[in-house]
Amino acid sequence: MGQKSKQLASFRDAVADIPDGSTIAFGGFAMPGTPFNLIKALLDHGAKRLTLVANTTGGAQQPRMPDIGMLVENGQVAKVIWAFTAATRPTDVLPFTKYYESGEVDAELVPQGTLAERLRAAGAGIPAFYTPTAVGTELAAGRETRVINGREYLLEYALPLDYAFIRAHRADAAGNLRFHRSQRNFNPVMATAARCTIAEVDEPILPAGAIDADDVHTAGIFVHRLVQVPPAPEGLWPTKRQERAR
Amino acid sequence: MGQKSKQLASFRDAVADIPDGSTIAFGGFAMPGTPFNLIKALLDHGAKRLTLVANTTGGAQQPRMPDIGMLVENGQVAKVIWAFTAATRPTDVLPFTKYYESGEVDAELVPQGTLAERLRAAGAGIPAFYTPTAVGTELAAGRETRVINGREYLLEYALPLDYAFIRAHRADAAGNLRFHRSQRNFNPVMATAARCTIAEVDEPILPAGAIDADDVHTAGIFVHRLVQVPPAPEGLWPTKRQERAR
Amino acid sequence: MSETRQKGLARQQMADRVALEFQDGWIVNLGVGIPTMCSNTDIGDRDITYHSENGVIGYGGVAAAGEEDLNLVNAGGQNVTLKPGAAVVHHADSFGIIRGGHIDVTVMGAYQVSMGGDFANWKLAGQKGGGIGGAMDLAACAKRVFIILEHVTRKGEPRLVEACDLPVTARGVVKLVATNYGLFEPTGSGFLLREIAPGLTVEEIRASTAGTLTVAPDLRPVRLAG
Amino acid sequence: MSETRQKGLARQQMADRVALEFQDGWIVNLGVGIPTMCSNTDIGDRDITYHSENGVIGYGGVAAAGEEDLNLVNAGGQNVTLKPGAAVVHHADSFGIIRGGHIDVTVMGAYQVSMGGDFANWKLAGQKGGGIGGAMDLAACAKRVFIILEHVTRKGEPRLVEACDLPVTARGVVKLVATNYGLFEPTGSGFLLREIAPGLTVEEIRASTAGTLTVAPDLRPVRLAG
């Protein structure tokens, strides 16, 4: 293993073959772990009728990094599967909202833990599972539930992906990844659920074996393409949290 | 967090309060990660009517390390939940077999991946899930199945534990653990499923924070008691694989 | 949440009161907004582990300016620090911790809390979509749910209600409610007022509460220090 | 497995033949016994990742005497080495890899294989209990299942059968079977003999096979080198 490097030369190359209609997940929770550079490349690439799986859209804050809300605004998106389809602060209006309200884009709202577990299930060959989350709420209306040991649970299905776009801190040529701090978030989970995982990486790609087997966060078998993020301004990097423009 | 060390002075102290009738899981896959010292302490402690959850019993090989088959032979066990209730080599007869055949001990045979997933489910609050494993076999006879996207799956339930006995390589006082190589196996999974996880540790217990947050394999919130394994012969350590006594 | 000057407790005081409930050894998840302020409260040498949805177990205070790690945030997106003994896990494992019942308490904001312990915090009336985030998982699965909210809306309408008219986040889970008016327990048939904020009267509170209000026999002023 | 001298291929040769099927980039899981020997075969510069149930991804050969890491074993309990790029995961993640369909092929031993691609390898007739281990997960979930077994039992009874009379491990999954007599494919209605071992005749094989035997139009000797 690891005889051939998974490193590609550019973000453009990494997304070049993505067809219209793909289901693509994007890692990241706030700034850390968000694949800004791959999002930018996908904006340039122009694939259409996409389904976007992520925690949230971003976009209420200014100035804006390339975020998946821009894919919506760019007319590339048919549907989103997110834990937030509105901002946490009801006074913030997301750029996404008008596309959703007009019916141009469809949305499935999924509790964050259920989203993570549905992705994990897809990667781990579990087609469906029961969870206590959302029982008794509007999200459970008309859906199948089951009482187990006296408690009511909701049936949830795996969420398989065509592509996962993720960001890591360090990688070796075999695709083994490490994340720094809360950069980890959804990234390792999405990597297992995708037919093709593309990682943008903070540091230069190391030779296979340079990350000790005990120190790997995501095994290389889940990672298909690697691109190193160039220094700013060419490459996009997390910045300090911006004050909200009110 | 981590102001109070979870370290105890002895294996005897670590198992002293275990009541009769407990469900206890034991990490380990072959030698690596097997909590030999905790098994020995439990043999001395004498708790009865136990349910033992593990990959297998061990015991066909000579000379023998303390293994959970000895708990059976010591009359401490009511039931086992294992992926092997017979040896892989049909000519090997396990010490366990005669207790099982006589009806003195009950057994539930569970495929290894289903066992791992049932433990993971217990730790992660998933009461039940579907799996393709064992569909169409004797193990699925009379049990609930469900067709999802055209494939048949078997319903499996979470397997919660009272105690997990595990072995780790390194620990800090807050209970964060690292495992060395295939010592990891079932240990992190069992730790999440137990009300009380007790870890025997190869190296001296480090101060809280000595293991970087990105390098932790099992978070300290899952680990309740730590005991350092003393040097041999007082402490029990993996030995080279013994040739089978044929 | 409104910055308008409200009667009774200030925002940090509501957080302080709730933080006093945290017991030694607890694993605590703090929601965005006022709940985050619970970690500012001095509760002596009690050993509390703060967990964040993104997989950070054992975070500490907000990082000093210039010392931020831009890859380390809490659930509110603030650049925080780590305490000794911290660990990081991925999102599925982080919600495994939540769903598995390993969180001793979650403290959240809400729009409404009902007498039966339902609460609503993810969707406003008439809104398309909503912001659930990790709230439904935490609400359904944490051992305890504590809510902090302003006692009335900006328009003066009660937030403690007989039954939520907004879409609920979870049903029958709220154990304790701190508002700027006092400390309450949903009892199923009403709200039990246990502690009252300075400057408020029981009658004022009753008038601003939509459900049945009962008063604890040992009603006392809101406790603000351990 | 028997050490008795059998007709046709030796144990390592059966493993060699199966190993030739491995394609560049595959993730391969090898069962205990003869299947383990597949990793000894020289298949050129094809990049194969060996996965073991206990969570080792990318293990290499057996460690030299005196250089064993006693905490590093493969599924058979042998002290192995790691190749560059190896990674270790825990058991739930390891079987997530298996169940999730990330294993390109699993190679296992068996007592019986049927014409429909069922196989049996965990329980003997009349036995109480059995040794399933990871076999049912691998059998149900790997992209391909290859089986290596002696063509007949020690008593001379066929192991390629119309239908398994032993309890099956999985149904309809076996794609390829290597025995000491040759290379076979279960077709549903029979076994297709694709390659024949030196010293064997089709008639001898037919006599030792309980199901229907068909012969590939391009039948050739068992290939043993890439």
Side-chain angles (χ1 to χ4, degrees):
Chain A
M1 67 185 295
Q3 295 163 17
K4 292 144 195 162
S5 176
K6 293 174 176 175
Q7 184 167 13
L8 298 183
S10 74
F11 293 106
R12 192 177 57 185
D13 293 352
V15 305
D17 64 355
I18 294 184
D20 291 353
S22 297
T23 296
I24 310 177
F26 302 78
F29 183 99
M31 285 265 172
T34 302
F36 296 117
N37 299 277
L38 287 165
I39 294 169
K40 183 158 167 271
L42 189 59
L43 281 163
D44 295 340
H45 172 270
K48 300 246 181 315
R49 301 192 317 278
L50 302 174
T51 295
L52 310 187
V53 178
N55 189 49
T56 183
T57 166
Q61 297 181 34
Q62 301 293 341
R64 244 174 121 179
M65 294 282 267
D67 62 44
I68 59 177
M70 291 182 181
L71 292 165
V72 174
E73 293 159 63
N74 204 31
Q76 297 180 246
V77 178
K79 182 179 178 183
V80 304
I81 303 177
W82 293 343
F84 294 93
T85 53
T88 40
R89 198 188 269 261
T91 48
D92 287 341
V93 176
L94 301 177
F96 163 75
T97 302
K98 75 171 177 193
Y99 299 89
Y100 184 34
E101 289 186 341
S102 74
E104 195 171 320
V105 176
D106 193 14
E108 182 179 344
L109 185 58
V110 181
Q112 196 173 141
T114 298
L115 183 62
E117 190 67 12
R118 289 178 62 192
L119 292 164
R120 192 260 173 200
I126 302 294
F129 59 89
Y130 293 93
T131 176
T133 301
V135 167
T137 75
E138 187 177 296
L139 291 198
R143 292 175 52 200
E144 180 175 342
T145 62
R146 182 185 188 108
V147 174
I148 300 171
N149 295 329
R151 187 171 180 191
E152 188 178 2
Y153 295 94
L154 186 61
L155 181 66
E156 295 281 358
Y157 291 91
L159 177 53
L161 306 170
D162 296 314
Y163 295 87
F165 286 10
I166 69 177
R167 179 147 180 160
H169 183 59
R170 193 171 288 167
D172 74 10
N176 292 302
L177 303 181
R178 275 179 66 83
F179 303 90
H180 179 70
R181 303 301 188 228
S182 71
Q183 192 183 48
R184 204 177 314 185
N185 63 70
F186 277 99
N187 287 308
V189 188
M190 290 172 171
T192 67
R195 288 191 300 99
C196 177
T197 295
I198 311 175
E200 56 176 76
V201 184
D202 293 349
E203 296 193 347
I205 312 301
L206 301 165
I211 301 175
D212 187 90
D214 288 342
D215 292 335
V216 171
H217 292 153
T218 287
I221 59 168
F222 293 119
V223 180
H224 305 88
R225 302 174 190 174
L226 302 167
V227 186
Q228 185 193 341
V229 179
E234 190 194 345
L236 298 168
W237 294 79
T239 57
K240 280 200 196 183
R241 193 177 187 222
Q242 303 297 334
E243 286 304 309
R244 289 167 192 273
R246 303 288 305 268
Chain B
M1 65 183 294
Q3 296 164 17
K4 291 145 195 164
S5 176
K6 294 174 176 176
Q7 184 167 14
L8 299 183
S10 74
F11 294 106
R12 191 176 59 186
D13 292 352
V15 305
D17 63 356
I18 294 184
D20 291 352
S22 298
T23 295
I24 310 178
F26 301 79
F29 182 98
M31 285 265 172
T34 302
F36 295 117
N37 298 278
L38 286 165
I39 294 169
K40 182 159 168 271
L42 188 59
L43 280 161
D44 294 341
H45 171 270
K48 299 246 182 312
R49 300 193 316 278
L50 303 174
T51 295
L52 310 186
V53 178
N55 189 49
T56 184
T57 165
Q61 297 180 34
Q62 301 293 342
R64 245 175 119 179
M65 295 282 269
D67 63 45
I68 59 176
M70 291 182 180
L71 292 164
V72 174
E73 294 159 62
N74 203 31
Q76 296 180 247
V77 178
K79 183 179 178 184
V80 304
I81 303 177
W82 293 343
F84 294 93
T85 53
T88 41
R89 198 186 269 260
T91 48
D92 287 341
V93 175
L94 301 177
F96 163 75
T97 302
K98 75 172 178 192
Y99 298 89
Y100 183 34
E101 290 185 342
S102 73
E104 194 171 323
V105 176
D106 192 12
E108 182 179 345
L109 185 57
V110 181
Q112 197 173 140
T114 299
L115 183 62
E117 191 67 12
R118 288 177 63 192
L119 291 163
R120 192 261 173 198
I126 302 293
F129 59 89
Y130 292 92
T131 176
T133 301
V135 167
T137 75
E138 186 177 298
L139 291 197
R143 292 175 52 198
E144 180 175 343
T145 63
R146 182 186 189 108
V147 175
I148 299 172
N149 295 329
R151 188 172 179 190
E152 188 178 1
Y153 296 94
L154 186 62
L155 181 66
E156 295 281 359
Y157 291 92
L159 177 53
L161 307 171
D162 296 315
Y163 295 87
F165 285 11
I166 69 177
R167 178 147 181 161
H169 183 59
R170 193 171 287 167
D172 74 11
N176 293 301
L177 302 182
R178 274 179 67 82
F179 303 90
H180 179 70
R181 303 302 188 229
S182 71
Q183 191 184 47
R184 204 176 314 185
N185 63 72
F186 278 99
N187 287 308
V189 188
M190 290 170 170
T192 68
R195 289 193 298 100
C196 178
T197 295
I198 311 176
E200 56 176 75
V201 184
D202 293 349
E203 296 194 347
I205 312 302
L206 301 165
I211 300 176
D212 186 90
D214 288 342
D215 292 335
V216 171
H217 291 153
T218 287
I221 58 168
F222 293 119
V223 180
H224 305 88
R225 300 173 191 174
L226 302 167
V227 186
Q228 185 192 343
V229 179
E234 189 194 345
L236 299 167
W237 294 78
T239 57
K240 279 200 197 182
R241 194 182 186 218
Q242 303 297 334
E243 285 303 310
R244 289 166 192 274
R246 305 280 314 261
Chain C
M1 302 289 162
S2 166
E3 303 291 339
T4 319
R5 187 69 202 135
Q6 299 262 15
K7 274 193 269 193
L9 302 182
R11 290 153 56 92
Q12 181 64 53
Q13 289 178 307
M14 289 189 257
D16 287 346
R17 178 58 193 89
V18 166
L20 291 184
E21 298 292 310
F22 299 168
Q23 298 303 306
D24 190 42
W26 274 16
I27 299 159
V28 173
N29 184 294
L30 301 178
V32 178
I34 305 180
T36 301
M37 298 172 153
C38 291
S39 63
N40 300 333
T41 308
D42 177 5
I43 53 170
D45 64 355
R46 280 179 255 177
D47 192 6
I48 305 296
T49 300
Y50 291 107
H51 165 272
S52 171
E53 287 91 312
N54 59 351
V56 182
I57 307 165
Y59 67 85
V62 171
E67 292 177 16
E68 299 93 347
D69 180 337
L70 298 185
N71 279 316
L72 177 55
V73 299
N74 63 11
Q78 296 172 299
N79 290 120
V80 290
T81 56
L82 295 181
K83 289 189 190 174
V88 176
V89 298
H90 63 52
H91 239 82
D93 282 349
S94 179
F95 279 84
I97 291 171
I98 293 170
R99 205 184 309 97
H102 306 284
I103 301 291
D104 291 289
V105 68
T106 182
V107 185
M108 282 192 249
Y111 303 136
Q112 294 180 326
V113 179
S114 82
M115 302 192 307
D118 305 348
F119 75 103
N121 76 349
W122 67 277
K123 187 176 184 172
L124 290 172
Q127 193 177 19
K128 187 168 182 183
I132 293 175
M136 282 191 184
D137 302 278
L138 283 158
C141 306
K143 288 183 192 159
R144 301 166 188 84
V145 178
F146 295 170
I147 299 288
I148 303 180
L149 76 181
E150 303 284 346
H151 201 89
V152 296
T153 67
R154 292 176 197 201
K155 294 179 181 169
E157 290 159 355
R159 292 182 185 273
L160 302 197
V161 295
E162 193 164 342
C164 296
D165 51 30
L166 293 172
V168 301
T169 306
R171 296 198 182 275
V173 296
V174 179
K175 293 281 171 280
L176 195 71
V177 181
T179 79
N180 47 322
Y181 290 10
L183 191 72
F184 305 84
E185 273 176 32
T187 61
S189 57
F191 295 99
L192 176 68
L193 175 64
R194 281 175 38 189
E195 296 179 11
I196 187 165
L200 273 292
T201 65
V202 169
E203 281 323 297
E204 263 180 293
I205 295 175
R206 196 183 308 275
S208 303
T209 302
T212 307
L213 189 80
T214 57
V215 179
D218 59 345
L219 177 70
R220 56 178 190 168
V222 170
R223 213 158 40 104
L224 289 172
Chain D
M1 302 289 162
S2 167
E3 304 291 338
T4 319
R5 186 69 202 133
Q6 299 261 14
K7 275 193 269 193
L9 302 182
R11 291 152 56 91
Q12 181 63 53
Q13 290 178 307
M14 290 190 258
D16 288 345
R17 178 59 193 90
V18 166
L20 291 184
E21 298 292 311
F22 300 169
Q23 299 303 306
D24 189 44
W26 274 16
I27 299 159
V28 173
N29 184 294
L30 301 177
V32 178
I34 305 180
T36 302
M37 298 173 153
C38 291
S39 62
N40 299 333
T41 308
D42 178 5
I43 53 169
D45 64 354
R46 281 179 255 175
D47 192 5
I48 306 296
T49 299
Y50 291 106
H51 166 271
S52 171
E53 287 91 312
N54 58 352
V56 182
I57 307 165
Y59 67 85
V62 171
E67 293 176 16
E68 299 93 346
D69 181 338
L70 299 184
N71 279 317
L72 176 56
V73 299
N74 64 10
Q78 296 171 298
N79 290 119
V80 289
T81 56
L82 294 181
K83 289 190 190 173
V88 176
V89 298
H90 62 53
H91 239 82
D93 282 349
S94 180
F95 279 84
I97 291 170
I98 294 170
R99 206 185 307 98
H102 305 285
I103 301 291
D104 291 289
V105 68
T106 181
V107 185
M108 282 192 248
Y111 304 136
Q112 293 180 328
V113 179
S114 82
M115 303 192 305
D118 305 348
F119 76 103
N121 77 348
W122 67 276
K123 186 177 186 173
L124 290 172
Q127 192 177 18
K128 188 168 182 183
I132 293 176
M136 282 192 184
D137 302 279
L138 283 158
C141 306
K143 288 184 193 157
R144 299 166 189 86
V145 178
F146 295 169
I147 299 289
I148 303 179
L149 75 180
E150 303 286 345
H151 202 89
V152 297
T153 68
R154 293 179 196 198
K155 294 180 180 167
E157 291 158 354
R159 293 182 186 272
L160 303 196
V161 295
E162 191 164 345
C164 296
D165 51 30
L166 293 173
V168 301
T169 306
R171 295 198 182 274
V173 297
V174 179
K175 293 280 172 280
L176 196 70
V177 181
T179 80
N180 47 321
Y181 289 10
L183 191 72
F184 305 83
E185 273 177 31
T187 62
S189 57
F191 295 99
L192 174 69
L193 175 64
R194 281 176 36 189
E195 298 180 9
I196 187 165
L200 272 292
T201 65
V202 169
E203 282 321 298
E204 263 180 293
I205 295 175
R206 197 183 306 276
S208 302
T209 302
T212 306
L213 188 79
T214 57
V215 179
D218 59 343
L219 178 70
R220 57 178 190 169
V222 170
R223 215 159 34 105
L224 290 170

